[in-house]
Amino acid sequence: MEPLLEVEHLAVSFATENGRFRVVDDVSFSLNAGQTLGLVGESGCGKSVTALSLLGLLPRPAGEVVGGRALFQGQDLLTLSAKQRYQVRGNKIAMIFQEPMTALNPVHTVGRQLMEVYQLHQPELNKRQQQQAAAEMLHQVGIPEAAARLKAYPHQLSGGMRQRVMIAMALACEPDLLICDEPTTALDVTIQAQILHLIQALQQRTGMAVLFITHDLGVVAQTCDQVLVMYAGRSVEQADVFTLFEHPVHPYTQGLLSAIPRLDQPGKTQLATIDGQVPSLEEQPTGCRFANRCTYMTPVCQQQPRMESVSTGHDVWCHHWRELTR
């Protein structure tokens, strides 16, 4: 089966006061229809930049795709014209942004913003049909009294309700690919569970693929089929979710998993941490970018690691992975 989305050797650079630096470097992954792929890593590792580059939403002129390709249904998203990208974005590929209060326009009603999706991508609908479709979409994402909520402004809704509106806007045209950029950040755990359940239910109903960006490994375990772990703009490990949690190979992945609190630990047990911090853009090492924080570092780590296959569907970028699996 051909992948719905296939990203190959993606590279993105950003201009700073001290020059231009790569914030995403040689990232590759594929995603099939109906699957959920999780992009995992610390803040600033390039997860959101990867997603924004696929949609042509990088801030210009600072951000620029400098390498790779992203094949979606046979089209390279990175080479589309503005008109072609306009037809894909919101229609075939939709995105739920991290903070709904900044993504929604505060001076327009929820209904006007949701109806705009239909105006842009389904112009054959008249205003009454657009309003009915918007109300039905709000109902599908679990907003009570949906028709009345169309007249509400974003500040009149709770955080969970605003996020549901964002999901409704993203799913209005039934996209083939939904990109979720930390959609449950800043929501309490009850609302977070509801939002995740909603996305999964809609995915099962429509068969869409989901690219889920998060730093929460609990969310990954609950929602994802495949996982790509990123660090400082590069891939470090990729596997299906069960393999990654049961047999992590890269020292960074092992560090992330060991930092998760466990129910079988005694009370007040000190959590494990990863010493050091992510290198800044100006200080990126030429070899393994995790080397300065890795307890297994040797001189060979000054060379950039290549992708190696641990097993079928389980890839790692590490010079010492064989030693860590003994």
Side-chain angles (χ1 to χ4, degrees):
M1 181 173 62
E2 284 291 321
L4 177 70
L5 173 67
E6 191 165 13
V7 176
E8 300 176 346
H9 309 293
L10 178 66
V12 180
S13 69
F14 268 70
T16 70
E17 294 179 354
N18 299 319
R20 183 170 283 276
F21 300 93
R22 288 198 177 190
V23 295
V24 173
D25 191 7
D26 196 22
V27 170
S28 301
F29 59 86
S30 63
L31 179 58
N32 295 327
Q35 273 194 332
T36 300
L37 170 68
L39 288 185
V40 181
E42 296 176 62
S43 297
C45 73
K47 306 185 299 295
S48 296
V49 170
T50 298
L52 293 173
S53 64
L54 299 180
L55 291 176
L57 295 176
L58 291 173
R60 299 294 178 90
E64 181 183 0
V65 176
V66 293
R69 63 178 187 164
L71 297 178
F72 175 77
Q73 297 180 337
Q75 290 182 303
D76 187 353
L77 297 174
L78 306 182
T79 60
L80 295 182
S81 65
K83 184 178 180 180
Q84 290 173 317
R85 189 176 289 120
Y86 178 83
Q87 294 172 342
V88 170
R89 194 165 52 209
N91 191 18
K92 294 184 177 181
I93 304 177
M95 186 167 182
I96 303 172
F97 294 92
Q98 183 171 352
E99 177 46 62
M101 203 56 199
T102 58
L104 292 171
N105 193 321
V107 301
H108 293 303
T109 63
V110 164
R112 179 172 179 178
Q113 296 181 66
L114 183 50
M115 288 169 63
E116 185 179 11
V117 179
Y118 295 104
Q119 292 167 7
L120 294 173
H121 298 291
Q122 297 182 20
E124 69 276 7
L125 300 179
N126 60 39
K127 188 172 182 179
R128 181 177 178 82
Q129 290 172 323
Q130 292 169 1
Q131 192 171 19
Q132 290 175 340
E136 174 60 25
M137 202 66 234
L138 290 184
H139 175 72
Q140 286 188 29
V141 298
I143 293 182
E145 301 177 356
R149 297 285 185 180
L150 291 176
K151 300 177 182 179
Y153 288 87
H155 73 272
Q156 295 175 309
L157 303 178
S158 66
M161 287 290 188
R162 289 195 293 266
Q163 195 62 283
R164 288 172 188 268
V165 171
M166 289 297 301
I167 294 173
M169 293 175 66
L171 298 179
C173 294
E174 297 192 354
D176 298 307
L177 172 62
L178 177 66
I179 301 175
C180 302
D181 188 1
E182 307 209 28
T184 57
T185 298
L187 299 179
D188 64 60
V189 291
T190 304
I191 302 301
Q192 173 178 288
Q194 292 175 0
I195 295 296
L196 294 177
H197 177 73
L198 172 63
I199 293 173
Q200 288 179 306
L202 292 170
Q203 181 184 25
Q204 291 174 0
R205 182 174 65 81
T206 63
M208 65 183 176
V210 177
L211 181 61
F212 207 104
I213 299 169
T214 184
H215 60 269
D216 189 332
L217 289 171
V219 170
V220 169
Q222 181 180 347
T223 62
C224 296
D225 302 304
Q226 299 285 326
V227 187
L228 173 64
V229 183
M230 294 180 63
Y231 180 82
R234 286 183 183 162
S235 307
V236 295
E237 188 165 3
Q238 182 172 10
D240 68 81
V241 66
F242 297 104
T243 300
L244 191 86
F245 276 76
E246 292 175 5
H247 304 291
V249 173
H250 197 281
Y252 179 61
T253 310
Q254 293 176 350
L256 289 179
L257 292 173
S258 64
I260 300 175
R262 300 179 58 90
L263 293 176
D264 56 1
Q265 289 178 331
K268 298 184 179 180
T269 300
Q270 186 172 355
L271 296 177
T273 60
I274 302 175
D275 294 335
Q277 59 186 7
V278 181
S280 66
L281 288 177
E282 292 86 355
E283 298 172 345
Q284 297 284 15
T286 56
C288 176
R289 293 187 175 178
F290 186 64
N292 67 327
R293 304 176 70 183
C294 184
T295 56
Y296 304 97
M297 183 185 69
T298 63
V300 73
C301 297
Q302 296 177 6
Q303 303 172 20
Q304 183 175 340
R306 296 176 300 176
M307 184 193 80
E308 298 194 49
S309 179
V310 179
S311 59
T312 303
H314 187 183
D315 300 321
V316 67
W317 288 257
C318 179
H319 294 291
H320 300 293
W321 70 270
R322 289 184 176 83
E323 304 164 28
L324 304 180
T325 55
R326 291 172 183 169

